[in-house]
Amino acid sequence: MDRWGITFPLDGVSLPAHREVLREMESIGYTDAWTAEVDGPDAFTPATLAAAWTERIRIGTAIASVFTRTPTVLAQTAWAVAEAAQGRFCLGIGSSSPAIVENWNGMPFRKPYTRVRETVTFLRQVFEGQKAASDWLHVRNFRYSRRFAPAPPIYIAALQEKMLQLAGSMGDGVILNWLAPSDVPKCVAVAKEAARAAGRDPDALDVVARIFVIPTTSDALIKGLGRRAISGYLTTPVYGAFHRWLGRGEAFRPMQEAWDAGDRKTATELVPDAAIEDLFVTGDAQACIDGVEAYVRAGVTTPVINIMPTVPDPAQLGARNIDVMRELAARR
C-alpha cells in the first residue's frame, strides 16, 4: 500500500486532543486523514485543524454534501482549507442522503446527480479563476479573490453507475463506501471507462474507499456490530439501491422487508452472516491489515480505515482506537 489513511475525528477523542493524535499518526506512517460528515462535526472544521497541526499528511473530506451549503460557500470553504493545507487538501463531495439533507437540514433532496454535476462544473470555474456562474444552481458572477495555494482536487462520492461515470469523467478521484473487495472492480471499471471516454487518463483516477474495521476476534461482537450497522445503513434507499446493483438484492430482501414493516429488531436479526464477512475487515491486527490489502489488490489506491467501537465504555473508546491504529501501523 502506497497510501494508508484514517477516518477522523476518532470516536472518544476530543477535537483538541487530535493535535497530538494526528501528529503521531503522521509520524508512524499514515499518509491520509479524511473526515466524515454525519451526526458529529462538520467535514471542514477538523480538516482545517489538521492542516494547521500536521506537515505531510494529506487531508480530505469524505464527504461534504453539495446540498447543505450553497455552491459559493462550498467553494470558499474548500479553498480556505486548501490555503491552510498548502497543497495537501482534497475536496471530497457528494449528494449525501435524503435522511441528512431533508430530515436533518430541511432541504429538498432533488436531482442528486444533476446537483453534483453542476456543483463540480461551478467549482472548476472558481478554481480556475473564472467568473463562475450556473443557471441551474442560480449563481452568477462569483470570482474568488485569493490565490495563496493551489486549488484542491475534486473527489466525487459515487455508489451507482451514473455517479461513478461522473466521477470518472469530471473528478480527480472517486470515493467509495460500504462495499466489499469483490465489489471494487465493478465500480472502478465504470469510473475508469468514463474517464477514458472523456479523454482522460483512467489510471490517474485516485480510488478512495472507506473501509470499516472491527478490530476484535470476538465473533459475537463482530456479528453484533455488523448487524446493527448494516441494518441501519443498507436499508436506506440510497444504499439499498447500491447493493441491489452490486447483486445483494435477494440476500438483503428479508432484512429490507422487515425494516420497511417497522420491525427493526427482526431486520437486524436477518442480516446475512455472509454480508458481515464481506463488508467488514475483522480480527487481530494482522488479519485487519490483510483485509485492507484485499481492497488495494482489488483496485483501491487510497484505503481509509474507519475503526468501529469495540469497547462499551466511552471513557476507554478513544484510547482503544488510538491503540488499534498504532497496532495496524506496526504491522503494515
Side-chain angles (χ1 to χ4, degrees), residues 75-162:
Q76 291 172 301
T77 306
W79 217 336
V81 180
E83 185 176 327
Q86 289 294 304
R88 295 186 289 126
F89 176 63
C90 303
L91 173 62
I93 61 171
S95 61
S96 188
S97 69
I100 292 174
V101 175
E102 293 185 338
N103 296 350
W104 295 359
N105 286 280
M107 299 177 179
F109 188 78
R110 295 174 186 160
K111 297 185 178 296
Y113 172 84
T114 304
R115 179 83 183 197
V116 173
R117 184 194 65 204
E118 293 297 316
T119 300
V120 172
T121 300
F122 175 81
L123 290 170
R124 291 288 188 206
Q125 293 173 359
V126 175
F127 293 166
E128 291 168 4
Q130 301 176 29
K131 185 177 286 187
S134 169
D135 291 339
W136 198 91
L137 295 170
H138 307 291
V139 181
R140 62 180 182 274
N141 299 329
F142 173 75
R143 177 176 284 148
Y144 193 74
S145 62
R146 292 169 64 89
R147 281 188 172 272
F148 291 99
I154 300 172
Y155 286 56
I156 299 173
L159 294 180
Q160 294 189 71
E161 196 163 12
K162 285 185 66 177

XYZ file of all heavy atoms in Angstrom, residues 75-162:
707
model
N -17.275 26.484 -2.290
C -16.020 26.852 -2.944
C -15.134 27.659 -2.007
O -13.917 27.419 -1.907
C -16.308 27.647 -4.215
N -15.713 28.627 -1.313
C -14.932 29.457 -0.387
C -14.328 28.621 0.742
O -13.154 28.767 1.098
C -15.824 30.551 0.192
C -16.247 31.613 -0.791
C -17.280 32.561 -0.200
O -18.359 32.124 0.209
N -16.949 33.839 -0.140
N -15.137 27.743 1.304
C -14.662 26.917 2.417
C -13.547 25.989 1.957
O -12.517 25.848 2.619
C -15.828 26.100 3.006
O -16.901 26.972 3.345
C -15.384 25.352 4.243
N -13.764 25.361 0.810
C -12.762 24.420 0.307
C -11.437 25.104 0.027
O -10.364 24.594 0.378
C -13.287 23.745 -0.958
N -11.481 26.279 -0.586
C -10.222 26.939 -0.915
C -9.561 27.523 0.323
O -8.335 27.628 0.399
C -10.414 28.004 -1.978
C -9.240 28.046 -2.931
C -7.971 27.615 -2.676
C -9.228 28.514 -4.275
N -7.167 27.802 -3.772
C -7.909 28.347 -4.770
C -10.198 29.065 -5.094
C -7.551 28.714 -6.055
C -9.827 29.424 -6.383
C -8.525 29.251 -6.861
N -10.345 27.874 1.332
C -9.740 28.330 2.587
C -8.970 27.193 3.252
O -7.855 27.379 3.746
C -10.817 28.869 3.523
N -9.564 25.980 3.258
C -8.851 24.830 3.826
C -7.625 24.502 2.976
O -6.556 24.173 3.500
C -9.772 23.605 3.946
C -9.009 22.421 4.553
C -10.990 23.920 4.799
N -7.768 24.604 1.660
C -6.634 24.354 0.775
C -5.491 25.333 1.047
O -4.307 24.961 1.004
C -7.078 24.453 -0.685
N -5.844 26.569 1.345
C -4.815 27.562 1.672
C -4.111 27.191 2.974
O -2.891 27.307 3.090
C -5.446 28.944 1.781
C -4.430 30.056 2.008
C -5.075 31.435 2.011
O -6.057 31.647 1.277
O -4.578 32.305 2.761
N -4.873 26.719 3.942
C -4.265 26.296 5.208
C -3.379 25.072 5.018
O -2.330 24.950 5.647
C -5.364 25.994 6.231
N -3.793 24.168 4.131
C -3.069 22.908 3.950
C -1.936 23.000 2.944
O -1.087 22.100 2.885
C -4.049 21.820 3.515
N -1.924 24.040 2.108
C -0.838 24.260 1.151
C -0.529 23.025 0.291
O 0.556 22.452 0.319
C 0.419 24.722 1.871
C 0.324 26.143 2.421
C 0.217 27.185 1.314
O 1.066 27.253 0.426
N -0.845 27.994 1.355
N -1.558 22.615 -0.464
C -1.363 21.519 -1.411
C -1.658 20.142 -0.875
O -1.485 19.152 -1.602
N -2.118 20.055 0.368
C -2.373 18.737 0.973
C -3.856 18.431 1.143
O -4.205 17.450 1.800
C -1.686 18.647 2.347
C -0.170 18.708 2.301
C 0.441 18.469 3.674
N 0.209 19.579 4.585
C -0.339 19.455 5.792
N -0.751 18.272 6.231
N -0.489 20.515 6.569
N -4.730 19.238 0.552
C -6.163 19.074 0.790
C -6.881 18.563 -0.449
O -6.640 19.039 -1.564
C -6.794 20.402 1.212
C -8.290 20.343 1.379
C -8.866 19.534 2.333
C -9.119 21.089 0.554
C -10.254 19.462 2.475
C -10.497 21.051 0.692
C -11.063 20.227 1.656
N -7.775 17.598 -0.247
C -8.635 17.075 -1.304
C -10.092 17.360 -0.932
O -10.527 17.024 0.175
C -8.460 15.572 -1.471
S -6.778 15.044 -1.824
N -10.832 17.955 -1.843
C -12.238 18.244 -1.606
C -13.076 17.066 -2.082
O -13.234 16.845 -3.282
C -12.655 19.520 -2.337
C -14.150 19.836 -2.310
C -14.640 20.050 -0.884
C -14.468 21.050 -3.184
N -13.592 16.304 -1.142
C -14.490 15.206 -1.469
C -15.924 15.644 -1.272
O -16.302 16.076 -0.184
N -16.723 15.559 -2.330
C -18.112 15.996 -2.264
C -19.032 14.871 -2.723
O -18.608 13.914 -3.382
C -18.369 17.250 -3.122
C -18.067 16.965 -4.593
C -17.555 18.423 -2.616
C -18.492 18.068 -5.537
N -20.308 14.999 -2.371
C -21.291 14.024 -2.801
C -22.684 14.535 -2.491
O -22.864 15.614 -1.921
N -23.661 13.732 -2.848
C -25.049 14.150 -2.649
C -25.541 13.886 -1.242
O -26.564 14.434 -0.842
C -25.954 13.427 -3.654
O -25.898 12.022 -3.460
N -24.853 13.059 -0.465
C -25.314 12.657 0.861
C -26.586 11.821 0.708
O -26.708 11.052 -0.247
C -25.504 13.875 1.758
O -25.762 13.483 3.086
N -27.543 11.954 1.612
C -28.728 11.092 1.598
C -29.968 11.895 1.955
O -29.878 12.966 2.564
C -28.555 9.955 2.604
O -28.601 10.461 3.933
N -31.158 11.386 1.603
C -32.388 12.103 1.979
C -32.518 12.308 3.482
O -33.008 13.361 3.919
C -33.489 11.184 1.441
C -32.859 10.437 0.320
C -31.433 10.230 0.742
N -32.082 11.343 4.281
C -32.210 11.487 5.732
C -31.445 12.707 6.229
O -31.947 13.494 7.037
C -31.716 10.227 6.432
N -30.216 12.890 5.739
C -29.389 14.008 6.191
C -29.855 15.319 5.567
O -29.981 16.338 6.244
C -27.904 13.727 5.878
C -27.398 12.563 6.739
C -27.054 14.976 6.111
C -25.988 12.117 6.417
N -30.118 15.291 4.272
C -30.460 16.531 3.570
C -31.859 17.018 3.931
O -32.062 18.192 4.261
C -30.326 16.330 2.047
C -30.794 17.571 1.293
C -28.878 16.003 1.680
N -32.817 16.119 3.883
C -34.205 16.528 4.103
C -34.583 16.519 5.584
O -35.081 17.513 6.118
C -35.145 15.611 3.320
C -34.998 15.760 1.826
C -36.015 14.954 1.032
O -36.555 13.963 1.582
O -36.263 15.313 -0.134
N -34.345 15.380 6.257
C -34.819 15.258 7.644
C -34.017 16.122 8.612
O -34.576 16.697 9.545
C -34.765 13.802 8.091
C -35.694 12.915 7.285
O -36.514 13.403 6.516
N -35.560 11.607 7.441
N -32.703 16.205 8.409
C -31.856 16.933 9.356
C -31.626 18.382 8.967
O -31.347 19.210 9.825
C -30.501 16.237 9.491
C -30.565 14.868 10.095
C -31.683 14.214 10.533
C -29.473 13.981 10.311
N -31.350 12.973 11.000
C -30.001 12.800 10.888
C -28.117 14.062 10.078
C -29.203 11.711 11.231
C -27.309 12.978 10.413
C -27.849 11.819 10.986
N -31.686 18.668 7.667
C -31.373 20.028 7.217
C -32.545 20.750 6.566
O -32.403 21.918 6.194
C -30.182 19.987 6.244
C -28.868 19.745 6.964
O -28.288 20.666 7.532
N -28.392 18.496 6.959
N -33.655 20.072 6.399
C -34.843 20.731 5.891
C -34.745 21.210 4.464
O -35.385 22.200 4.081
N -33.948 20.517 3.639
C -33.768 20.912 2.245
C -34.255 19.796 1.328
O -34.112 18.620 1.654
C -32.291 21.206 1.962
C -31.731 22.330 2.796
S -29.973 22.569 2.480
C -29.648 23.952 3.569
N -34.807 20.127 0.183
C -35.277 19.079 -0.733
C -34.108 18.320 -1.357
O -33.123 18.923 -1.783
C -36.071 19.847 -1.794
C -35.527 21.238 -1.739
C -35.112 21.482 -0.321
N -34.225 17.006 -1.392
C -33.207 16.146 -1.997
C -33.668 15.814 -3.413
O -34.247 14.762 -3.681
C -33.047 14.879 -1.151
C -31.900 13.991 -1.568
C -30.601 14.303 -1.214
C -32.127 12.823 -2.283
C -29.542 13.476 -1.573
C -31.080 11.986 -2.649
C -29.790 12.318 -2.300
N -33.431 16.736 -4.324
C -33.919 16.594 -5.694
C -32.769 16.548 -6.685
O -31.826 17.317 -6.583
C -34.830 17.768 -6.052
C -36.116 17.832 -5.228
C -36.884 19.092 -5.530
N -38.042 19.236 -4.650
C -38.675 20.370 -4.415
N -38.249 21.493 -4.995
N -39.705 20.411 -3.599
N -32.884 15.649 -7.632
C -31.909 15.504 -8.724
C -30.465 15.491 -8.197
O -29.652 16.360 -8.550
C -32.097 16.621 -9.754
C -33.444 16.596 -10.452
C -33.521 17.655 -11.543
C -34.852 17.603 -12.279
N -35.052 16.332 -13.012
N -30.116 14.509 -7.363
C -28.763 14.498 -6.780
C -27.654 14.421 -7.824
O -26.619 15.071 -7.667
C -28.786 13.274 -5.866
C -29.938 12.445 -6.329
C -30.947 13.399 -6.865
N -27.867 13.645 -8.883
C -26.837 13.558 -9.925
C -26.599 14.926 -10.560
O -25.456 15.370 -10.712
C -27.249 12.543 -10.991
C -26.345 12.531 -12.198
C -25.163 11.800 -12.204
C -26.670 13.271 -13.340
C -24.326 11.804 -13.315
C -25.836 13.278 -14.454
C -24.671 12.541 -14.423
O -23.839 12.559 -15.511
N -27.687 15.598 -10.920
C -27.558 16.913 -11.549
C -26.923 17.913 -10.596
O -26.084 18.729 -10.998
C -28.933 17.416 -12.015
O -29.514 16.439 -12.887
C -28.811 18.746 -12.740
N -27.309 17.846 -9.333
C -26.747 18.778 -8.349
C -25.235 18.580 -8.222
O -24.478 19.572 -8.187
C -27.412 18.557 -6.985
C -26.895 19.451 -5.870
C -27.555 20.797 -5.865
N -27.009 21.676 -4.826
C -27.609 22.774 -4.403
N -28.769 23.142 -4.910
N -27.055 23.532 -3.474
N -24.795 17.344 -8.169
C -23.351 17.091 -8.071
C -22.650 17.556 -9.341
O -21.617 18.239 -9.291
C -23.070 15.606 -7.797
C -21.568 15.321 -7.866
C -23.609 15.198 -6.428
N -23.190 17.209 -10.484
C -22.569 17.587 -11.766
C -22.444 19.107 -11.902
O -21.375 19.624 -12.260
C -23.392 17.029 -12.924
C -22.782 17.284 -14.306
C -23.799 17.016 -15.393
N -24.915 17.952 -15.324
C -26.132 17.696 -15.812
N -26.396 16.532 -16.382
N -27.075 18.616 -15.719
N -23.518 19.819 -11.606
C -23.496 21.272 -11.738
C -22.570 21.914 -10.706
O -21.913 22.927 -10.986
C -24.914 21.830 -11.604
C -25.843 21.446 -12.741
C -25.380 22.004 -14.071
O -24.994 23.181 -14.115
O -25.395 21.257 -15.069
N -22.511 21.322 -9.524
C -21.609 21.857 -8.494
C -20.154 21.666 -8.896
O -19.327 22.579 -8.721
C -21.882 21.190 -7.135
O -23.236 21.455 -6.744
C -20.940 21.708 -6.070
N -19.815 20.518 -9.443
C -18.441 20.289 -9.894
C -18.072 21.268 -11.001
O -16.982 21.849 -10.998
C -18.250 18.830 -10.371
C -16.877 18.654 -11.015
C -18.416 17.863 -9.212
N -18.986 21.480 -11.942
C -18.731 22.437 -13.018
C -18.481 23.837 -12.458
O -17.545 24.534 -12.867
C -19.919 22.460 -14.000
O -20.100 21.154 -14.555
C -19.679 23.465 -15.115
N -19.309 24.241 -11.507
C -19.148 25.553 -10.880
C -17.813 25.637 -10.133
O -17.082 26.633 -10.247
C -20.313 25.798 -9.924
C -20.199 27.077 -9.132
C -20.555 28.293 -9.689
C -19.732 27.059 -7.824
C -20.453 29.470 -8.962
C -19.628 28.228 -7.090
C -19.983 29.442 -7.656
N -17.487 24.605 -9.359
C -16.234 24.607 -8.604
C -15.025 24.691 -9.537
O -14.051 25.400 -9.240
C -16.135 23.357 -7.741
C -17.095 23.267 -6.548
C -17.046 21.870 -5.931
C -16.750 24.315 -5.490
N -15.072 23.989 -10.645
C -13.965 24.062 -11.606
C -13.782 25.499 -12.110
O -12.651 25.981 -12.238
C -14.225 23.128 -12.785
C -14.174 21.649 -12.468
C -12.766 21.171 -12.219
N -12.718 19.720 -12.097
C -11.801 19.068 -11.419
N -10.842 19.743 -10.781
N -11.805 17.756 -11.351
N -14.873 26.167 -12.403
C -14.776 27.550 -12.853
C -14.117 28.427 -11.790
O -13.230 29.238 -12.090
C -16.175 28.089 -13.167
C -16.849 27.445 -14.357
C -18.296 27.901 -14.507
O -18.803 28.677 -13.715
N -18.958 27.404 -15.549
N -14.562 28.257 -10.546
C -13.984 29.043 -9.454
C -12.506 28.739 -9.296
O -11.663 29.650 -9.189
C -14.736 28.767 -8.135
C -14.049 29.489 -6.976
C -16.190 29.210 -8.242
N -12.166 27.464 -9.283
C -10.781 27.057 -9.037
C -9.842 27.469 -10.172
O -8.639 27.604 -9.971
C -10.700 25.550 -8.809
C -11.364 25.078 -7.535
C -11.636 23.735 -7.334
C -11.717 25.973 -6.534
C -12.237 23.292 -6.162
C -12.326 25.541 -5.370
C -12.595 24.199 -5.179
N -10.407 27.662 -11.356
C -9.596 28.124 -12.491
C -9.520 29.639 -12.574
O -8.913 30.180 -13.504
C -10.175 27.551 -13.791
C -9.982 26.040 -13.912
C -10.792 25.432 -15.042
O -11.454 26.209 -15.793
O -10.794 24.194 -15.170
N -10.117 30.335 -11.612
C -10.042 31.789 -11.578
C -11.054 32.501 -12.437
O -10.972 33.725 -12.626
N -12.029 31.773 -12.955
C -13.037 32.388 -13.805
C -14.104 33.095 -12.970
O -14.233 32.865 -11.770
C -13.717 31.312 -14.659
C -12.796 30.523 -15.559
C -13.548 29.417 -16.291
O -14.741 29.539 -16.571
N -12.846 28.336 -16.609
N -14.878 33.933 -13.635
C -16.101 34.463 -13.034
C -17.144 33.366 -13.199
O -17.605 33.092 -14.308
C -16.527 35.759 -13.707
C -17.724 36.428 -13.037
C -18.068 37.751 -13.709
C -17.042 38.825 -13.352
N -17.467 40.159 -13.866
N -17.487 32.708 -12.106
C -18.270 31.483 -12.176
C -19.760 31.764 -12.147
O -20.226 32.705 -11.489
C -17.899 30.566 -11.010
N -20.505 30.917 -12.862
C -21.954 31.062 -12.916
C -22.589 29.718 -13.217
O -21.969 28.831 -13.811
C -22.351 32.081 -13.979
N -23.829 29.565 -12.796
C -24.608 28.366 -13.098
C -26.082 28.718 -13.043
O -26.607 29.081 -11.987
C -24.319 27.249 -12.096
O -25.253 26.185 -12.233
N -26.751 28.629 -14.199
C -28.188 28.889 -14.220
C -28.921 27.860 -13.366
O -29.876 28.204 -12.656
C -28.711 28.844 -15.658
C -28.223 30.016 -16.493
O -27.829 31.044 -15.899
O -28.203 29.890 -17.729
N -28.497 26.612 -13.442
C -29.205 25.554 -12.703
C -29.096 25.781 -11.203
O -30.046 25.551 -10.468
C -28.626 24.188 -13.079
C -29.543 23.051 -12.729
C -30.504 22.495 -13.530
C -29.597 22.341 -11.487
N -31.147 21.480 -12.858
C -30.624 21.363 -11.608
C -28.894 22.433 -10.292
C -30.945 20.481 -10.576
C -29.215 21.559 -9.251
C -30.221 20.600 -9.396
N -27.932 26.252 -10.748
C -27.720 26.491 -9.323
C -28.137 27.899 -8.893
O -28.032 28.237 -7.711
C -26.245 26.277 -8.970
C -25.707 24.848 -9.142
C -24.187 24.836 -9.007
C -26.342 23.891 -8.137
N -28.557 28.717 -9.865
C -28.996 30.093 -9.579
C -27.859 30.929 -8.969
O -28.068 31.702 -8.034
C -30.216 30.100 -8.646
C -31.343 29.242 -9.117
N -32.092 29.546 -10.233
C -31.839 28.061 -8.637
C -33.012 28.602 -10.425
N -32.875 27.697 -9.470
N -26.670 30.762 -9.525
C -25.499 31.508 -9.066
C -24.889 32.216 -10.274
O -24.792 31.637 -11.363
C -24.448 30.572 -8.443
C -23.256 31.377 -7.949
C -25.039 29.761 -7.299
N -24.446 33.443 -10.086
C -23.812 34.146 -11.208
C -22.757 35.137 -10.700
O -22.833 35.641 -9.575
C -24.845 34.880 -12.057
C -25.623 35.973 -11.349
C -26.627 36.634 -12.301
N -27.362 37.714 -11.649
C -28.466 37.542 -10.947
N -28.969 36.314 -10.789
N -29.080 38.577 -10.398
N -21.747 35.339 -11.541
C -20.760 36.404 -11.366
C -19.972 36.307 -10.059
O -19.705 37.314 -9.400
C -21.432 37.785 -11.459
C -22.069 38.013 -12.797
O -21.602 37.494 -13.816
N -23.145 38.792 -12.823
N -19.558 35.080 -9.692
C -18.718 34.947 -8.494
C -17.283 34.638 -8.908
O -17.041 33.762 -9.745
C -19.218 33.833 -7.574
C -18.272 33.572 -6.418
C -18.211 34.454 -5.347
C -17.418 32.475 -6.424
C -17.326 34.235 -4.294
C -16.533 32.246 -5.381
C -16.487 33.131 -4.316
N -16.352 35.365 -8.313
C -14.928 35.089 -8.542
C -14.222 35.119 -7.195
O -14.385 36.068 -6.424
C -14.311 36.110 -9.495
C -12.806 35.895 -9.706
C -12.246 36.868 -10.722
N -12.598 36.487 -12.077
C -12.814 37.342 -13.073
N -12.743 38.643 -12.855
N -13.118 36.901 -14.283
N -13.415 34.099 -6.940
C -12.682 34.016 -5.680
C -11.484 34.968 -5.727
O -10.756 35.015 -6.721
C -12.212 32.578 -5.451
C -11.711 32.286 -4.055
C -12.597 32.168 -2.995
C -10.351 32.118 -3.802
C -12.159 31.883 -1.715
C -9.900 31.844 -2.523
C -10.795 31.725 -1.481
O -10.350 31.444 -0.214
N -11.242 35.706 -4.654
C -10.291 36.820 -4.706
C -8.894 36.487 -4.200
O -7.990 37.317 -4.328
C -10.831 37.997 -3.885
O -10.968 37.633 -2.510
N -8.678 35.303 -3.626
C -7.366 34.978 -3.057
C -6.745 33.786 -3.785
O -7.441 32.858 -4.178
C -7.499 34.622 -1.569
C -7.898 35.782 -0.687
C -8.266 35.298 0.709
N -7.150 34.684 1.421
C -6.294 35.353 2.185
N -6.404 36.661 2.321
N -5.316 34.734 2.827
N -5.408 33.818 -3.911
C -4.685 32.699 -4.516
C -3.357 32.523 -3.798
O -2.311 32.930 -4.287
C -4.468 32.934 -6.016
C -5.706 32.646 -6.849
C -5.410 32.704 -8.338
N -6.546 32.254 -9.110
C -6.790 30.986 -9.444
N -5.970 30.033 -9.061
N -7.861 30.669 -10.145
N -3.421 31.942 -2.636
C -2.216 31.678 -1.856
C -1.879 30.189 -1.804
O -1.003 29.776 -1.059
C -2.393 32.214 -0.424
C -2.419 33.708 -0.349
C -3.626 34.393 -0.272
C -1.243 34.442 -0.386
C -3.660 35.775 -0.194
C -1.267 35.831 -0.320
C -2.474 36.491 -0.220
N -2.592 29.406 -2.567
C -2.355 27.958 -2.586
C -2.968 27.391 -3.862
O -3.858 28.007 -4.460
C -2.985 27.296 -1.366
N -2.516 26.222 -4.283
C -3.164 25.591 -5.448
C -4.590 25.196 -5.109
O -4.915 24.896 -3.958
C -2.288 24.358 -5.709
C -1.588 24.080 -4.421
C -1.381 25.424 -3.780
N -5.433 25.218 -6.113
C -6.815 24.786 -5.916
C -6.845 23.307 -5.566
O -6.012 22.520 -6.043
C -7.618 25.043 -7.186
N -7.780 22.892 -4.732
C -7.822 21.484 -4.336
C -8.376 20.593 -5.439
O -9.264 21.014 -6.202
C -8.775 21.489 -3.132
C -9.680 22.643 -3.389
C -8.825 23.688 -4.059
N -7.891 19.362 -5.550
C -8.527 18.406 -6.449
C -9.921 18.065 -5.946
O -10.198 18.145 -4.748
C -7.589 17.194 -6.394
C -6.899 17.307 -5.077
C -6.772 18.779 -4.810
N -10.788 17.676 -6.853
C -12.181 17.368 -6.519
C -12.409 15.866 -6.621
O -12.161 15.253 -7.668
C -13.152 18.110 -7.450
C -12.961 19.626 -7.330
C -14.600 17.727 -7.132
C -13.758 20.421 -8.357
N -12.881 15.293 -5.537
C -13.221 13.875 -5.476
C -14.741 13.752 -5.373
O -15.379 14.515 -4.646
C -12.571 13.210 -4.271
C -11.086 12.968 -4.395
C -10.201 14.011 -4.678
C -10.552 11.693 -4.227
C -8.840 13.789 -4.789
C -9.190 11.450 -4.333
C -8.341 12.506 -4.622
O -6.986 12.282 -4.733
N -15.300 12.789 -6.077
C -16.749 12.623 -6.107
C -17.131 11.280 -5.486
O -16.640 10.228 -5.913
C -17.278 12.713 -7.550
C -16.946 14.093 -8.148
C -18.779 12.446 -7.596
C -17.292 14.212 -9.629
N -17.995 11.340 -4.476
C -18.508 10.112 -3.866
C -19.531 9.486 -4.803
O -20.431 10.167 -5.305
C -19.148 10.428 -2.517
N -19.399 8.200 -5.042
C -20.249 7.540 -6.032
C -20.636 6.144 -5.562
O -19.798 5.405 -5.029
C -19.517 7.459 -7.368
N -21.895 5.815 -5.791
C -22.370 4.480 -5.453
C -22.789 3.708 -6.700
O -22.355 2.569 -6.888
C -23.554 4.571 -4.481
C -23.247 5.133 -3.090
C -24.523 5.147 -2.241
C -22.176 4.307 -2.380
N -23.596 4.305 -7.538
C -24.086 3.565 -8.695
C -23.506 4.110 -9.997
O -22.704 5.030 -10.006
C -25.615 3.582 -8.715
C -26.219 2.821 -7.537
C -27.711 2.652 -7.698
O -28.182 1.887 -8.534
N -28.463 3.381 -6.885
N -23.969 3.531 -11.087
C -23.306 3.707 -12.370
C -23.190 5.159 -12.810
O -22.114 5.610 -13.204
C -24.050 2.884 -13.427
C -23.244 2.687 -14.698
C -23.807 1.563 -15.549
O -24.929 1.099 -15.280
O -23.113 1.161 -16.495
N -24.279 5.923 -12.750
C -24.231 7.292 -13.266
C -23.254 8.158 -12.477
O -22.489 8.929 -13.064
C -25.630 7.913 -13.233
C -26.565 7.405 -14.310
C -27.894 8.154 -14.283
C -27.738 9.607 -14.652
N -29.043 10.319 -14.695
